[in-house]
Amino acid sequence: NMILAQSFICKCDESVPFPAEYISEVTDYLFSVEEWKIYELILIGNLYLFFDIPLLHKMGQEIGSQVSRTGANKRLVIITLLNIWETCLHRDELTAAAYYRDSILPLTADETLLYERNLYHFLSGLHRFKSGEKESGLREMRQAIQIYKWLGCENLARNYKKDLHK
């Protein structure tokens, strides 16, 4: 819990570095637990920005493997995997990102997962854009932003519009 609190401090104040020894401690803990439940998913979901891509990708693959075995905490799993995908894209790790593009889609088959499906749509557009399909990628990201606007989710639309401009 102290490590989680430190992560919030580091996210709020970027001048405060996240201690490297915490990464080792969290990694040791996570890979000593047989089945990741809600606590472990929350831990990863709040620390993913501090992991390097190989470690983050290993965790993402484990999360995907566990959800396919147990089906537990599906919505939290989807959000965590979407965040990992987004991180891979922002760090230009397109090979790792392709794993999430392909593995998340079947998890979002439930039509009630509107936020997750639209975020998938946005990230799919970002993935296309980063892969050289600039026009179709931009079109897909703009469609996702428009959907947020139509649903009255102005803050989400604004946040993803900022991401689009980056």
Side-chain angles (χ1 to χ4, degrees):
N1 290 333
M2 181 190 71
I3 293 172
L4 273 177
Q6 182 66 38
S7 77
F8 296 133
I9 292 168
C10 294
K11 287 178 190 173
C12 291
D13 184 351
E14 293 180 12
S15 70
V16 177
F18 189 75
E21 62 270 13
Y22 287 177
I23 298 295
S24 296
E25 192 173 329
V26 168
T27 303
D28 290 346
Y29 166 74
L30 286 170
F31 288 106
S32 71
V33 175
E34 190 171 320
E35 184 179 326
W36 290 350
K37 298 190 187 269
I38 194 163
Y39 179 77
E40 289 75 22
L41 292 172
I42 289 171
L43 193 60
I44 295 167
N46 284 288
L47 298 175
Y48 69 93
L49 292 174
F50 303 109
F51 297 127
D52 63 22
I53 292 299
L55 178 57
L56 186 61
H57 186 46
K58 185 176 181 180
M59 289 178 181
Q61 290 172 315
E62 183 63 25
I63 292 168
S65 166
Q66 287 195 20
V67 76
S68 67
R69 284 194 316 268
T70 67
N73 302 307
K74 187 174 179 182
R75 193 167 199 153
L76 184 55
V77 163
I78 294 168
I79 292 297
T80 304
L81 293 175
L82 286 165
N83 286 336
I84 292 171
W85 183 21
E86 184 174 21
T87 301
C88 290
L89 290 171
H90 285 299
R91 295 182 191 174
D92 294 319
E93 296 286 348
L94 298 182
T95 303
Y99 170 84
Y100 299 98
R101 180 195 59 217
D102 299 339
S103 63
I104 295 170
L105 187 60
L107 299 175
T108 61
D110 181 347
E111 291 182 5
T112 64
L113 298 173
L114 297 177
Y115 171 74
E116 293 84 350
R117 290 174 69 137
N118 199 44
L119 180 51
Y120 180 93
H121 191 67
F122 181 87
L123 294 176
S124 177
L126 181 57
H127 199 137
R128 285 178 188 269
F129 183 85
K130 295 247 180 184
S131 298
E133 300 175 46
K134 304 274 187 218
E135 288 302 316
S136 63
L138 283 172
R139 184 173 45 254
E140 205 167 340
M141 287 186 284
R142 287 183 181 127
Q143 287 170 348
I145 292 167
Q146 184 59 51
I147 289 168
Y148 285 131
K149 286 180 181 178
W150 286 333
L151 294 174
C153 304
E154 293 301 322
N155 289 325
L156 289 172
R158 188 173 27 262
N159 289 342
Y160 286 103
K161 194 170 186 179
K162 285 179 191 175
D163 203 23
L164 171 81
H165 290 294
K166 286 181 189 176

